[in-house]
Amino acid sequence: MLADRMRMNRPTAGDPYWSSVAALLHLEGSSGSTTITDHVTKIWSVHGDAKLSTAAAKFGSSSLILDGSGDSIYTADSTVVDITTGDFTVEMWVYRATSGVHHYLVSKRVSGTEASGYEWRISSSNTLQFFHVGGLLITSALTVPSGEWVHLALSKASGTVRQFVNGVLDANSGSFGSATANTSHFIIGTSEDWSGGFDGYIDEFRLTKGVCRY
């Protein structure tokens, strides 16, 4: 995987896995816009002060800006965003404004009880952490820098979960055991109870369901 590769493919660009793409967000639009366009036609809503910004972008002219205080975007539960079974790849470009605090990337857990689902975040130690209810917690050996664009990827193949930072495979992986699905929202940018969150910019989010790209 090349972390500095071209913008994530649309179907006309020849993505061989396009039929398995469950969400593709280029996060393009005018500054301040709260319209989130998904090229797989899923409907996304904003929470808090989440919006597009032209102040920074990895590709194109804008990205999603979040302030770390509950800002996020989310889509309703569906089978295509349920990664508790089968292979998958979740990836995005991030630009963290701060370090040393939790930055939530993806969350799909039950608020309050945390009885099911999964979560992917950058920890206060600046490492990647993937957790799912059922026993799996993977903490990366690699750290995620702040103040620059970084490509992050999470993948599962044949039950093994791996994490990548700028195209580098992390030394730590884990066996994905039994995980319980739920009907909670699929959230980008905060935890399941809308607290905390990502502080900075997110660009080019893609979820591929049923395929391990990396």
Side-chain angles (χ1 to χ4, degrees), residues 117-139:
Y118 50 86
E119 184 173 88
W120 190 34
R121 70 182 185 184
I122 304 170
S123 73
S124 58
S125 298
N126 303 313
T127 56
L128 279 176
Q129 290 186 325
F130 176 69
F131 167 83
H132 81 74
V133 176
L136 178 67
L137 172 63
I138 304 174
T139 299

PDB file of all heavy atoms in Angstrom, residues 117-139:
ATOM      1  N   GLY A 117     -20.500  -4.095  19.560  1.00  0.00           N
ATOM      2  CA  GLY A 117     -19.935  -3.242  18.536  1.00  0.00           C
ATOM      3  C   GLY A 117     -18.434  -3.085  18.597  1.00  0.00           C
ATOM      4  O   GLY A 117     -17.728  -3.905  19.188  1.00  0.00           O
ATOM      5  N   TYR A 118     -17.953  -1.989  17.996  1.00  0.00           N
ATOM      6  CA  TYR A 118     -16.511  -1.811  17.839  1.00  0.00           C
ATOM      7  C   TYR A 118     -16.148  -0.329  17.842  1.00  0.00           C
ATOM      8  O   TYR A 118     -17.006   0.550  17.698  1.00  0.00           O
ATOM      9  CB  TYR A 118     -16.037  -2.470  16.544  1.00  0.00           C
ATOM     10  CG  TYR A 118     -16.847  -2.091  15.335  1.00  0.00           C
ATOM     11  CD1 TYR A 118     -16.558  -0.941  14.603  1.00  0.00           C
ATOM     12  CD2 TYR A 118     -17.921  -2.875  14.923  1.00  0.00           C
ATOM     13  CE1 TYR A 118     -17.307  -0.578  13.502  1.00  0.00           C
ATOM     14  CE2 TYR A 118     -18.679  -2.522  13.815  1.00  0.00           C
ATOM     15  CZ  TYR A 118     -18.369  -1.376  13.103  1.00  0.00           C
ATOM     16  OH  TYR A 118     -19.122  -1.021  12.018  1.00  0.00           O
ATOM     17  N   GLU A 119     -14.829  -0.078  17.962  1.00  0.00           N
ATOM     18  CA  GLU A 119     -14.332   1.299  18.011  1.00  0.00           C
ATOM     19  C   GLU A 119     -12.889   1.320  17.523  1.00  0.00           C
ATOM     20  O   GLU A 119     -12.111   0.413  17.811  1.00  0.00           O
ATOM     21  CB  GLU A 119     -14.399   1.805  19.445  1.00  0.00           C
ATOM     22  CG  GLU A 119     -14.005   3.240  19.658  1.00  0.00           C
ATOM     23  CD  GLU A 119     -14.273   3.650  21.100  1.00  0.00           C
ATOM     24  OE1 GLU A 119     -13.380   3.445  21.940  1.00  0.00           O
ATOM     25  OE2 GLU A 119     -15.380   4.126  21.372  1.00  0.00           O
ATOM     26  N   TRP A 120     -12.552   2.355  16.786  1.00  0.00           N
ATOM     27  CA  TRP A 120     -11.176   2.568  16.311  1.00  0.00           C
ATOM     28  C   TRP A 120     -10.787   3.992  16.655  1.00  0.00           C
ATOM     29  O   TRP A 120     -11.534   4.931  16.374  1.00  0.00           O
ATOM     30  CB  TRP A 120     -11.120   2.334  14.804  1.00  0.00           C
ATOM     31  CG  TRP A 120      -9.750   2.279  14.213  1.00  0.00           C
ATOM     32  CD1 TRP A 120      -8.606   1.792  14.775  1.00  0.00           C
ATOM     33  CD2 TRP A 120      -9.390   2.706  12.893  1.00  0.00           C
ATOM     34  NE1 TRP A 120      -7.556   1.880  13.900  1.00  0.00           N
ATOM     35  CE2 TRP A 120      -7.998   2.431  12.737  1.00  0.00           C
ATOM     36  CE3 TRP A 120     -10.106   3.264  11.821  1.00  0.00           C
ATOM     37  CZ2 TRP A 120      -7.318   2.719  11.552  1.00  0.00           C
ATOM     38  CZ3 TRP A 120      -9.422   3.548  10.646  1.00  0.00           C
ATOM     39  CH2 TRP A 120      -8.047   3.287  10.512  1.00  0.00           C
ATOM     40  N   ARG A 121      -9.637   4.153  17.290  1.00  0.00           N
ATOM     41  CA  ARG A 121      -9.249   5.482  17.739  1.00  0.00           C
ATOM     42  C   ARG A 121      -7.733   5.617  17.787  1.00  0.00           C
ATOM     43  O   ARG A 121      -6.986   4.630  17.715  1.00  0.00           O
ATOM     44  CB  ARG A 121      -9.808   5.767  19.129  1.00  0.00           C
ATOM     45  CG  ARG A 121      -9.146   4.952  20.242  1.00  0.00           C
ATOM     46  CD  ARG A 121      -9.765   5.235  21.594  1.00  0.00           C
ATOM     47  NE  ARG A 121      -9.047   4.546  22.665  1.00  0.00           N
ATOM     48  CZ  ARG A 121      -9.417   4.548  23.933  1.00  0.00           C
ATOM     49  NH1 ARG A 121     -10.509   5.229  24.309  1.00  0.00           N
ATOM     50  NH2 ARG A 121      -8.713   3.906  24.853  1.00  0.00           N
ATOM     51  N   ILE A 122      -7.287   6.863  17.915  1.00  0.00           N
ATOM     52  CA  ILE A 122      -5.903   7.167  18.268  1.00  0.00           C
ATOM     53  C   ILE A 122      -5.910   7.445  19.757  1.00  0.00           C
ATOM     54  O   ILE A 122      -6.659   8.283  20.244  1.00  0.00           O
ATOM     55  CB  ILE A 122      -5.379   8.381  17.500  1.00  0.00           C
ATOM     56  CG1 ILE A 122      -5.522   8.162  15.991  1.00  0.00           C
ATOM     57  CG2 ILE A 122      -3.926   8.662  17.871  1.00  0.00           C
ATOM     58  CD1 ILE A 122      -5.259   9.407  15.170  1.00  0.00           C
ATOM     59  N   SER A 123      -5.080   6.727  20.501  1.00  0.00           N
ATOM     60  CA  SER A 123      -5.084   6.826  21.956  1.00  0.00           C
ATOM     61  C   SER A 123      -4.340   8.073  22.431  1.00  0.00           C
ATOM     62  O   SER A 123      -3.687   8.773  21.653  1.00  0.00           O
ATOM     63  CB  SER A 123      -4.434   5.588  22.572  1.00  0.00           C
ATOM     64  OG  SER A 123      -3.020   5.630  22.384  1.00  0.00           O
ATOM     65  N   SER A 124      -4.418   8.336  23.732  1.00  0.00           N
ATOM     66  CA  SER A 124      -3.700   9.473  24.315  1.00  0.00           C
ATOM     67  C   SER A 124      -2.186   9.265  24.263  1.00  0.00           C
ATOM     68  O   SER A 124      -1.420  10.206  24.462  1.00  0.00           O
ATOM     69  CB  SER A 124      -4.148   9.693  25.758  1.00  0.00           C
ATOM     70  OG  SER A 124      -3.930   8.529  26.536  1.00  0.00           O
ATOM     71  N   SER A 125      -1.766   8.026  23.958  1.00  0.00           N
ATOM     72  CA  SER A 125      -0.336   7.736  23.762  1.00  0.00           C
ATOM     73  C   SER A 125       0.047   7.829  22.292  1.00  0.00           C
ATOM     74  O   SER A 125       1.165   7.447  21.912  1.00  0.00           O
ATOM     75  CB  SER A 125      -0.003   6.339  24.293  1.00  0.00           C
ATOM     76  OG  SER A 125      -0.257   6.253  25.683  1.00  0.00           O
ATOM     77  N   ASN A 126      -0.890   8.309  21.469  1.00  0.00           N
ATOM     78  CA  ASN A 126      -0.680   8.519  20.032  1.00  0.00           C
ATOM     79  C   ASN A 126      -0.526   7.219  19.244  1.00  0.00           C
ATOM     80  O   ASN A 126       0.045   7.212  18.141  1.00  0.00           O
ATOM     81  CB  ASN A 126       0.521   9.438  19.784  1.00  0.00           C
ATOM     82  CG  ASN A 126       0.376  10.774  20.474  1.00  0.00           C
ATOM     83  OD1 ASN A 126      -0.662  11.414  20.391  1.00  0.00           O
ATOM     84  ND2 ASN A 126       1.409  11.187  21.189  1.00  0.00           N
ATOM     85  N   THR A 127      -1.047   6.129  19.795  1.00  0.00           N
ATOM     86  CA  THR A 127      -1.047   4.853  19.089  1.00  0.00           C
ATOM     87  C   THR A 127      -2.450   4.548  18.582  1.00  0.00           C
ATOM     88  O   THR A 127      -3.439   5.059  19.110  1.00  0.00           O
ATOM     89  CB  THR A 127      -0.594   3.712  20.021  1.00  0.00           C
ATOM     90  OG1 THR A 127      -1.439   3.703  21.184  1.00  0.00           O
ATOM     91  CG2 THR A 127       0.853   3.884  20.443  1.00  0.00           C
ATOM     92  N   LEU A 128      -2.533   3.705  17.564  1.00  0.00           N
ATOM     93  CA  LEU A 128      -3.827   3.266  17.066  1.00  0.00           C
ATOM     94  C   LEU A 128      -4.369   2.150  17.943  1.00  0.00           C
ATOM     95  O   LEU A 128      -3.627   1.244  18.343  1.00  0.00           O
ATOM     96  CB  LEU A 128      -3.701   2.729  15.636  1.00  0.00           C
ATOM     97  CG  LEU A 128      -3.669   3.740  14.495  1.00  0.00           C
ATOM     98  CD1 LEU A 128      -3.435   3.005  13.178  1.00  0.00           C
ATOM     99  CD2 LEU A 128      -4.947   4.551  14.439  1.00  0.00           C
ATOM    100  N   GLN A 129      -5.660   2.201  18.237  1.00  0.00           N
ATOM    101  CA  GLN A 129      -6.299   1.145  19.018  1.00  0.00           C
ATOM    102  C   GLN A 129      -7.597   0.729  18.339  1.00  0.00           C
ATOM    103  O   GLN A 129      -8.428   1.576  17.996  1.00  0.00           O
ATOM    104  CB  GLN A 129      -6.599   1.611  20.438  1.00  0.00           C
ATOM    105  CG  GLN A 129      -5.365   1.805  21.300  1.00  0.00           C
ATOM    106  CD  GLN A 129      -5.719   2.132  22.741  1.00  0.00           C
ATOM    107  OE1 GLN A 129      -6.704   2.806  23.000  1.00  0.00           O
ATOM    108  NE2 GLN A 129      -4.915   1.649  23.665  1.00  0.00           N
ATOM    109  N   PHE A 130      -7.751  -0.585  18.135  1.00  0.00           N
ATOM    110  CA  PHE A 130      -9.019  -1.125  17.654  1.00  0.00           C
ATOM    111  C   PHE A 130      -9.577  -2.045  18.720  1.00  0.00           C
ATOM    112  O   PHE A 130      -8.877  -2.905  19.242  1.00  0.00           O
ATOM    113  CB  PHE A 130      -8.839  -1.903  16.347  1.00  0.00           C
ATOM    114  CG  PHE A 130     -10.114  -2.549  15.873  1.00  0.00           C
ATOM    115  CD1 PHE A 130     -11.167  -1.767  15.416  1.00  0.00           C
ATOM    116  CD2 PHE A 130     -10.271  -3.921  15.906  1.00  0.00           C
ATOM    117  CE1 PHE A 130     -12.354  -2.355  14.991  1.00  0.00           C
ATOM    118  CE2 PHE A 130     -11.452  -4.513  15.477  1.00  0.00           C
ATOM    119  CZ  PHE A 130     -12.491  -3.733  15.024  1.00  0.00           C
ATOM    120  N   PHE A 131     -10.864  -1.842  19.034  1.00  0.00           N
ATOM    121  CA  PHE A 131     -11.515  -2.606  20.091  1.00  0.00           C
ATOM    122  C   PHE A 131     -12.861  -3.102  19.604  1.00  0.00           C
ATOM    123  O   PHE A 131     -13.582  -2.384  18.923  1.00  0.00           O
ATOM    124  CB  PHE A 131     -11.725  -1.719  21.321  1.00  0.00           C
ATOM    125  CG  PHE A 131     -12.661  -2.310  22.345  1.00  0.00           C
ATOM    126  CD1 PHE A 131     -12.192  -3.223  23.271  1.00  0.00           C
ATOM    127  CD2 PHE A 131     -14.002  -1.956  22.370  1.00  0.00           C
ATOM    128  CE1 PHE A 131     -13.053  -3.775  24.212  1.00  0.00           C
ATOM    129  CE2 PHE A 131     -14.865  -2.500  23.299  1.00  0.00           C
ATOM    130  CZ  PHE A 131     -14.385  -3.414  24.227  1.00  0.00           C
ATOM    131  N   HIS A 132     -13.197  -4.361  19.928  1.00  0.00           N
ATOM    132  CA  HIS A 132     -14.563  -4.796  19.729  1.00  0.00           C
ATOM    133  C   HIS A 132     -15.018  -5.572  20.949  1.00  0.00           C
ATOM    134  O   HIS A 132     -14.245  -6.294  21.580  1.00  0.00           O
ATOM    135  CB  HIS A 132     -14.751  -5.606  18.445  1.00  0.00           C
ATOM    136  CG  HIS A 132     -14.376  -7.057  18.517  1.00  0.00           C
ATOM    137  ND1 HIS A 132     -15.137  -7.995  19.166  1.00  0.00           N
ATOM    138  CD2 HIS A 132     -13.335  -7.727  17.987  1.00  0.00           C
ATOM    139  CE1 HIS A 132     -14.584  -9.186  19.048  1.00  0.00           C
ATOM    140  NE2 HIS A 132     -13.484  -9.052  18.351  1.00  0.00           N
ATOM    141  N   VAL A 133     -16.278  -5.385  21.299  1.00  0.00           N
ATOM    142  CA  VAL A 133     -16.849  -6.097  22.438  1.00  0.00           C
ATOM    143  C   VAL A 133     -16.848  -7.580  22.090  1.00  0.00           C
ATOM    144  O   VAL A 133     -17.373  -7.990  21.072  1.00  0.00           O
ATOM    145  CB  VAL A 133     -18.279  -5.607  22.737  1.00  0.00           C
ATOM    146  CG1 VAL A 133     -18.889  -6.432  23.862  1.00  0.00           C
ATOM    147  CG2 VAL A 133     -18.258  -4.131  23.091  1.00  0.00           C
ATOM    148  N   GLY A 134     -16.259  -8.368  22.932  1.00  0.00           N
ATOM    149  CA  GLY A 134     -16.055  -9.772  22.654  1.00  0.00           C
ATOM    150  C   GLY A 134     -14.612 -10.159  22.915  1.00  0.00           C
ATOM    151  O   GLY A 134     -14.241 -11.325  22.857  1.00  0.00           O
ATOM    152  N   GLY A 135     -13.776  -9.133  23.215  1.00  0.00           N
ATOM    153  CA  GLY A 135     -12.466  -9.465  23.725  1.00  0.00           C
ATOM    154  C   GLY A 135     -11.255  -8.953  22.992  1.00  0.00           C
ATOM    155  O   GLY A 135     -10.146  -9.085  23.495  1.00  0.00           O
ATOM    156  N   LEU A 136     -11.399  -8.350  21.810  1.00  0.00           N
ATOM    157  CA  LEU A 136     -10.220  -7.965  21.057  1.00  0.00           C
ATOM    158  C   LEU A 136      -9.845  -6.507  21.292  1.00  0.00           C
ATOM    159  O   LEU A 136     -10.670  -5.616  21.166  1.00  0.00           O
ATOM    160  CB  LEU A 136     -10.458  -8.172  19.553  1.00  0.00           C
ATOM    161  CG  LEU A 136      -9.307  -7.750  18.638  1.00  0.00           C
ATOM    162  CD1 LEU A 136      -8.099  -8.658  18.871  1.00  0.00           C
ATOM    163  CD2 LEU A 136      -9.724  -7.807  17.184  1.00  0.00           C
ATOM    164  N   LEU A 137      -8.583  -6.279  21.661  1.00  0.00           N
ATOM    165  CA  LEU A 137      -8.018  -4.934  21.737  1.00  0.00           C
ATOM    166  C   LEU A 137      -6.633  -4.985  21.125  1.00  0.00           C
ATOM    167  O   LEU A 137      -5.768  -5.723  21.601  1.00  0.00           O
ATOM    168  CB  LEU A 137      -7.940  -4.429  23.177  1.00  0.00           C
ATOM    169  CG  LEU A 137      -7.192  -3.097  23.374  1.00  0.00           C
ATOM    170  CD1 LEU A 137      -7.912  -1.974  22.651  1.00  0.00           C
ATOM    171  CD2 LEU A 137      -7.038  -2.767  24.850  1.00  0.00           C
ATOM    172  N   ILE A 138      -6.441  -4.243  20.051  1.00  0.00           N
ATOM    173  CA  ILE A 138      -5.126  -4.170  19.412  1.00  0.00           C
ATOM    174  C   ILE A 138      -4.601  -2.759  19.577  1.00  0.00           C
ATOM    175  O   ILE A 138      -5.259  -1.788  19.182  1.00  0.00           O
ATOM    176  CB  ILE A 138      -5.194  -4.495  17.913  1.00  0.00           C
ATOM    177  CG1 ILE A 138      -5.829  -5.861  17.670  1.00  0.00           C
ATOM    178  CG2 ILE A 138      -3.793  -4.465  17.304  1.00  0.00           C
ATOM    179  CD1 ILE A 138      -6.049  -6.157  16.207  1.00  0.00           C
ATOM    180  N   THR A 139      -3.410  -2.613  20.147  1.00  0.00           N
ATOM    181  CA  THR A 139      -2.741  -1.326  20.266  1.00  0.00           C
ATOM    182  C   THR A 139      -1.494  -1.355  19.401  1.00  0.00           C
ATOM    183  O   THR A 139      -0.672  -2.262  19.513  1.00  0.00           O
ATOM    184  CB  THR A 139      -2.361  -1.025  21.714  1.00  0.00           C
ATOM    185  OG1 THR A 139      -3.544  -0.966  22.519  1.00  0.00           O
ATOM    186  CG2 THR A 139      -1.632   0.314  21.820  1.00  0.00           C
TER     187      THR A 139
END
